[in-house]
Structures are given as C-alpha cells and as structure tokens.
Amino acid sequence: MNAHRTFFHKYFLLYRPFVSELNRMLEVYQLHNAQWSIMYYLDMYQSTSLVELSKHLYVEKPTITRTVMTLLKLEYVEQIPVSDKREKRIQLSERGKEVTAEIRKLLDEYEKKIMEGVSAEEQSLVIQVMDLVRNNIIEKGD
C-alpha cells in the first residue's frame, strides 16, 4: 500500500472511534461533536461571526446556522449585538463557559489517556503534518 493510502486509512481508523467516544461523553450535555467544535472555537477565540466560523470549520453556512440555533436553545451561546444587522456574532454564555470548562476537563483526561506512549515531540510532528495536509486540502479544493 502506498504511504498516502496508509496515512488516510489510519486517519479514518482513528477518527470514527474517537468521535464515537467524544459523542458519548457529550451526550450528558445534550451535545455532539459538531456543536462541541463551535463551543471549543468560542472558548479559544471568545467571539466570532457565523461566516468566520463557517470558514474556519470548513462547514457550509446553513449547517453552522442550524448548529448555532441548537446551542442558543440550550443557552450555551448568546448573540452579541452588532451595528451591521446582517452579521450574526456569537459568544459563549455564562452557562456555556461553565459547561465548556466541565467538558474540557473530561476531554483533557481522556485525551491524555489515549496519548500515553506518544512523546511531546511525536505529537508536535503529527500536528505539523495535520496542519500541512489540511492547508493542502483547502488550497487544492478551491
């Protein structure tokens, strides 16, 4: 098998069980992976527009809008008033910040556990490779 085939095959073998376990842990909070990715982004960057979020996560705007609507109903995010009525800007609500901190603690424990035996240097190298491949996908896809 060619190296690139093995790379992507291994990625798929890793992705499904990871997301399945992630969704199982998020279930308690009435969340799934797509919703968590938005909360995680907001935790890192404080606020964002739906357009920025769509571009960063590489997800179509209608999908982002539906996902954000669910987070608004759960009161995990809130809209921020802006001068341009066409722009929708969101941030984590106080409840969302509390839930994000709880989830982050759970995920930190899980992620550390499944990364046992992988050195910091190896993790750093894999992160660099993932960033490069993602950039190639985005550049070559447009």
Side-chain angles (χ1 to χ4, degrees):
M1 204 183 273
N2 295 334
H4 66 278
R5 287 183 185 172
T6 303
F7 176 88
F8 287 105
H9 178 70
K10 294 291 185 178
Y11 166 77
F12 286 121
L13 290 175
L14 170 71
Y15 178 80
R16 286 302 310 151
F18 178 76
V19 170
S20 292
E21 182 61 19
L22 175 61
N23 284 333
R24 190 192 64 72
M25 289 189 278
L26 294 172
E27 208 170 43
V28 175
Y29 301 94
Q30 298 177 289
L31 294 170
H32 56 78
N33 180 46
Q35 295 158 332
W36 169 246
S37 65
I38 292 172
M39 292 178 69
Y40 181 80
Y41 182 89
L42 290 171
D43 187 46
M44 288 192 316
Y45 299 104
Q46 281 71 54
S47 74
T48 187
S49 73
L50 300 191
V51 172
E52 291 166 1
L53 200 52
S54 173
K55 287 179 182 175
H56 177 78
L57 297 176
Y58 215 69
V59 174
E60 292 183 7
K61 288 177 226 162
T63 303
I64 290 291
T65 300
R66 283 191 303 274
T67 306
V68 167
M69 291 304 293
T70 301
L71 292 172
L72 285 164
K73 286 177 189 167
L74 290 168
E75 299 180 353
Y76 290 162
V77 300
E78 59 192 12
Q79 274 190 267
I80 303 170
V82 290
S83 57
D84 185 348
K85 299 283 186 210
R86 295 169 296 174
E87 181 183 13
K88 299 273 193 248
R89 194 154 195 86
I90 57 169
Q91 66 185 10
L92 288 172
S93 64
E94 285 307 311
R95 182 175 182 204
K97 290 175 186 176
E98 292 168 10
V99 167
T100 298
E102 286 178 32
I103 293 171
R104 190 66 264 161
K105 186 177 177 189
L106 286 172
L107 292 181
D108 282 347
E109 291 172 15
Y110 175 66
E111 290 168 353
K112 285 176 187 173
K113 187 171 105 179
I114 65 174
M115 292 300 286
E116 283 179 12
V118 183
S119 71
E121 294 80 19
E122 290 168 322
Q123 290 178 44
S124 180
L125 179 59
V126 171
I127 290 166
Q128 289 174 12
V129 170
M130 288 189 306
D131 284 343
L132 178 60
V133 172
R134 182 179 193 276
N135 289 337
N136 286 342
I137 290 169
I138 292 169
E139 286 176 17
K140 309 241 183 309
D142 291 339

